mmCIF file of all heavy atoms in Angstrom:
data_model
loop_
_atom_site.group_PDB
_atom_site.id
_atom_site.type_symbol
_atom_site.label_atom_id
_atom_site.label_comp_id
_atom_site.label_asym_id
_atom_site.label_seq_id
_atom_site.Cartn_x
_atom_site.Cartn_y
_atom_site.Cartn_z
ATOM 1 N N ALA A 23 -39.189 -35.520 28.894
ATOM 2 C CA ALA A 23 -37.871 -35.025 29.353
ATOM 3 C C ALA A 23 -37.954 -33.554 29.596
ATOM 4 O O ALA A 23 -37.410 -33.089 30.597
ATOM 5 C CB ALA A 23 -36.841 -35.314 28.238
ATOM 6 N N HIS A 26 -39.641 -32.979 32.969
ATOM 7 C CA HIS A 26 -38.813 -33.212 34.103
ATOM 8 C C HIS A 26 -37.721 -32.128 34.218
ATOM 9 O O HIS A 26 -37.478 -31.608 35.313
ATOM 10 C CB HIS A 26 -37.998 -34.526 33.891
ATOM 11 C CG HIS A 26 -38.882 -35.777 34.129
ATOM 12 N ND1 HIS A 26 -39.347 -36.053 35.421
ATOM 13 C CD2 HIS A 26 -39.342 -36.750 33.383
ATOM 14 C CE1 HIS A 26 -39.983 -37.180 35.371
ATOM 15 N NE2 HIS A 26 -40.077 -37.618 34.089
ATOM 16 N N ASN A 27 -37.227 -31.576 33.094
ATOM 17 C CA ASN A 27 -36.230 -30.507 33.202
ATOM 18 C C ASN A 27 -36.922 -29.253 33.768
ATOM 19 O O ASN A 27 -36.305 -28.607 34.673
ATOM 20 C CB ASN A 27 -35.631 -30.196 31.809
ATOM 21 C CG ASN A 27 -34.613 -29.139 31.926
ATOM 22 O OD1 ASN A 27 -33.603 -29.263 32.530
ATOM 23 N ND2 ASN A 27 -34.857 -27.990 31.199
ATOM 24 N N ASN A 28 -38.160 -28.893 33.272
ATOM 25 C CA ASN A 28 -38.801 -27.751 33.859
ATOM 26 C C ASN A 28 -39.152 -27.857 35.266
ATOM 27 O O ASN A 28 -39.014 -26.889 35.999
ATOM 28 C CB ASN A 28 -40.049 -27.514 32.950
ATOM 29 C CG ASN A 28 -39.816 -27.094 31.535
ATOM 30 O OD1 ASN A 28 -38.707 -26.770 31.151
ATOM 31 N ND2 ASN A 28 -40.846 -27.199 30.702
ATOM 32 N N ALA A 31 -36.020 -27.350 37.242
ATOM 33 C CA ALA A 31 -35.684 -25.913 37.233
ATOM 34 C C ALA A 31 -36.634 -25.129 38.227
ATOM 35 O O ALA A 31 -36.054 -24.179 39.002
ATOM 36 C CB ALA A 31 -35.860 -25.278 35.881
ATOM 37 N N LEU A 59 -29.537 -31.193 26.223
ATOM 38 C CA LEU A 59 -28.508 -30.296 26.632
ATOM 39 C C LEU A 59 -28.871 -29.476 27.890
ATOM 40 O O LEU A 59 -28.060 -29.278 28.783
ATOM 41 C CB LEU A 59 -28.160 -29.345 25.495
ATOM 42 C CG LEU A 59 -27.639 -30.000 24.201
ATOM 43 C CD1 LEU A 59 -27.275 -28.952 23.121
ATOM 44 C CD2 LEU A 59 -26.441 -30.927 24.445
ATOM 45 N N GLN A 76 -21.363 -26.661 50.107
ATOM 46 C CA GLN A 76 -20.690 -27.643 50.960
ATOM 47 C C GLN A 76 -19.280 -27.005 51.330
ATOM 48 O O GLN A 76 -18.769 -27.125 52.477
ATOM 49 C CB GLN A 76 -20.521 -28.959 50.350
ATOM 50 C CG GLN A 76 -21.854 -29.719 50.281
ATOM 51 C CD GLN A 76 -22.570 -29.889 51.668
ATOM 52 O OE1 GLN A 76 -21.897 -30.281 52.638
ATOM 53 N NE2 GLN A 76 -23.833 -29.559 51.713
ATOM 54 N N ALA A 78 -18.365 -23.881 51.344
ATOM 55 C CA ALA A 78 -18.554 -22.751 52.334
ATOM 56 C C ALA A 78 -18.842 -23.143 53.723
ATOM 57 O O ALA A 78 -18.531 -22.518 54.699
ATOM 58 C CB ALA A 78 -19.739 -21.851 51.789
ATOM 59 N N ASP A 81 -16.920 -28.374 54.262
ATOM 60 C CA ASP A 81 -16.853 -29.766 53.891
ATOM 61 C C ASP A 81 -16.120 -29.895 52.500
ATOM 62 O O ASP A 81 -16.784 -30.014 51.473
ATOM 63 C CB ASP A 81 -18.190 -30.460 53.845
ATOM 64 C CG ASP A 81 -18.132 -31.936 53.749
ATOM 65 O OD1 ASP A 81 -17.104 -32.495 53.363
ATOM 66 O OD2 ASP A 81 -19.122 -32.608 54.006
ATOM 67 N N ARG A 85 -17.422 -31.053 48.738
ATOM 68 C CA ARG A 85 -17.302 -30.130 47.604
ATOM 69 C C ARG A 85 -16.613 -30.675 46.408
ATOM 70 O O ARG A 85 -17.055 -30.556 45.305
ATOM 71 C CB ARG A 85 -16.578 -28.770 48.000
ATOM 72 C CG ARG A 85 -16.499 -27.782 46.916
ATOM 73 C CD ARG A 85 -15.572 -26.739 47.262
ATOM 74 N NE ARG A 85 -14.220 -27.297 47.351
ATOM 75 C CZ ARG A 85 -13.149 -26.914 46.740
ATOM 76 N NH1 ARG A 85 -13.201 -25.768 45.962
ATOM 77 N NH2 ARG A 85 -11.938 -27.492 46.833
ATOM 78 N N ALA A 87 -16.323 -33.906 45.690
ATOM 79 C CA ALA A 87 -17.205 -34.955 45.051
ATOM 80 C C ALA A 87 -18.284 -34.310 44.102
ATOM 81 O O ALA A 87 -18.499 -34.777 43.045
ATOM 82 C CB ALA A 87 -17.793 -35.848 46.064
ATOM 83 N N ILE A 97 -18.389 -31.364 30.990
ATOM 84 C CA ILE A 97 -17.571 -31.915 29.905
ATOM 85 C C ILE A 97 -18.401 -32.660 28.941
ATOM 86 O O ILE A 97 -18.211 -32.596 27.715
ATOM 87 C CB ILE A 97 -16.478 -32.851 30.525
ATOM 88 C CG1 ILE A 97 -15.446 -31.924 31.239
ATOM 89 C CG2 ILE A 97 -15.813 -33.683 29.458
ATOM 90 C CD1 ILE A 97 -14.422 -32.736 32.156
ATOM 91 N N LEU A 100 -20.102 -30.305 26.634
ATOM 92 C CA LEU A 100 -19.245 -29.798 25.567
ATOM 93 C C LEU A 100 -18.852 -30.820 24.598
ATOM 94 O O LEU A 100 -18.640 -30.440 23.329
ATOM 95 C CB LEU A 100 -17.964 -29.252 26.219
ATOM 96 C CG LEU A 100 -18.003 -27.947 27.029
ATOM 97 C CD1 LEU A 100 -16.730 -27.661 27.734
ATOM 98 C CD2 LEU A 100 -18.528 -26.858 26.133
ATOM 99 N N ALA A 103 -22.119 -30.371 22.576
ATOM 100 C CA ALA A 103 -22.254 -29.017 21.944
ATOM 101 C C ALA A 103 -21.074 -28.152 22.348
ATOM 102 O O ALA A 103 -21.109 -27.442 23.421
ATOM 103 C CB ALA A 103 -23.502 -28.351 22.524
ATOM 104 N N HIS A 111 -17.839 -21.508 31.049
ATOM 105 C CA HIS A 111 -17.906 -20.554 32.210
ATOM 106 C C HIS A 111 -17.896 -21.312 33.523
ATOM 107 O O HIS A 111 -17.184 -21.100 34.489
ATOM 108 C CB HIS A 111 -18.996 -19.554 32.195
ATOM 109 C CG HIS A 111 -18.898 -18.587 33.359
ATOM 110 N ND1 HIS A 111 -19.780 -18.757 34.438
ATOM 111 C CD2 HIS A 111 -18.167 -17.575 33.581
ATOM 112 C CE1 HIS A 111 -19.473 -17.846 35.315
ATOM 113 N NE2 HIS A 111 -18.487 -17.110 34.816
ATOM 114 N N THR A 127 -8.302 -19.937 33.184
ATOM 115 C CA THR A 127 -8.099 -18.970 32.130
ATOM 116 C C THR A 127 -8.498 -19.550 30.805
ATOM 117 O O THR A 127 -9.134 -18.857 29.964
ATOM 118 C CB THR A 127 -6.614 -18.552 32.108
ATOM 119 O OG1 THR A 127 -6.270 -17.999 33.366
ATOM 120 C CG2 THR A 127 -6.341 -17.551 30.984
ATOM 121 N N PRO A 138 -18.931 -12.623 24.106
ATOM 122 C CA PRO A 138 -17.974 -11.589 24.514
ATOM 123 C C PRO A 138 -18.523 -10.564 25.525
ATOM 124 O O PRO A 138 -17.809 -9.869 26.172
ATOM 125 C CB PRO A 138 -17.670 -10.826 23.220
ATOM 126 C CG PRO A 138 -18.189 -11.628 22.138
ATOM 127 C CD PRO A 138 -19.139 -12.647 22.715
ATOM 128 N N CYS A 145 -15.218 -10.879 34.659
ATOM 129 C CA CYS A 145 -14.829 -10.714 36.025
ATOM 130 C C CYS A 145 -14.060 -11.934 36.554
ATOM 131 O O CYS A 145 -13.034 -11.751 37.158
ATOM 132 C CB CYS A 145 -16.118 -10.492 36.907
ATOM 133 S SG CYS A 145 -15.665 -9.908 38.533
ATOM 134 N N ALA A 150 -8.623 -14.654 37.624
ATOM 135 C CA ALA A 150 -7.534 -15.649 37.295
ATOM 136 C C ALA A 150 -6.227 -14.903 36.927
ATOM 137 O O ALA A 150 -5.268 -15.283 37.384
ATOM 138 C CB ALA A 150 -8.054 -16.468 36.132
ATOM 139 N N PHE A 164 -11.591 -6.665 34.199
ATOM 140 C CA PHE A 164 -12.475 -5.985 35.093
ATOM 141 C C PHE A 164 -13.137 -4.828 34.451
ATOM 142 O O PHE A 164 -14.411 -4.618 34.633
ATOM 143 C CB PHE A 164 -11.833 -5.538 36.396
ATOM 144 C CG PHE A 164 -11.305 -6.783 37.226
ATOM 145 C CD1 PHE A 164 -10.031 -6.796 37.761
ATOM 146 C CD2 PHE A 164 -12.149 -7.906 37.445
ATOM 147 C CE1 PHE A 164 -9.562 -7.838 38.515
ATOM 148 C CE2 PHE A 164 -11.626 -8.966 38.151
ATOM 149 C CZ PHE A 164 -10.387 -8.961 38.668
ATOM 150 N N GLY A 179 -17.980 -6.820 42.574
ATOM 151 C CA GLY A 179 -16.749 -7.634 42.618
ATOM 152 C C GLY A 179 -15.691 -7.029 41.590
ATOM 153 O O GLY A 179 -14.580 -7.058 41.881
ATOM 154 N N ARG A 181 -15.403 -3.939 40.529
ATOM 155 C CA ARG A 181 -14.838 -2.716 41.010
ATOM 156 C C ARG A 181 -13.774 -2.917 42.200
ATOM 157 O O ARG A 181 -12.719 -2.387 42.221
ATOM 158 C CB ARG A 181 -15.918 -1.840 41.534
ATOM 159 C CG ARG A 181 -16.681 -1.056 40.489
ATOM 160 C CD ARG A 181 -17.630 -0.053 41.108
ATOM 161 N NE ARG A 181 -18.513 0.448 40.104
ATOM 162 C CZ ARG A 181 -19.774 -0.123 39.890
ATOM 163 N NH1 ARG A 181 -20.218 -1.119 40.679
ATOM 164 N NH2 ARG A 181 -20.539 0.296 38.956
#
Side-chain angles (χ1 to χ4, degrees):
H26 283 292
N27 183 64
N28 292 347
L59 301 179
Q76 292 302 313
D81 191 343
R85 184 192 65 129
I97 288 170
L100 290 174
H111 182 260
T127 299
C145 195
F164 295 133
R181 281 189 194 93

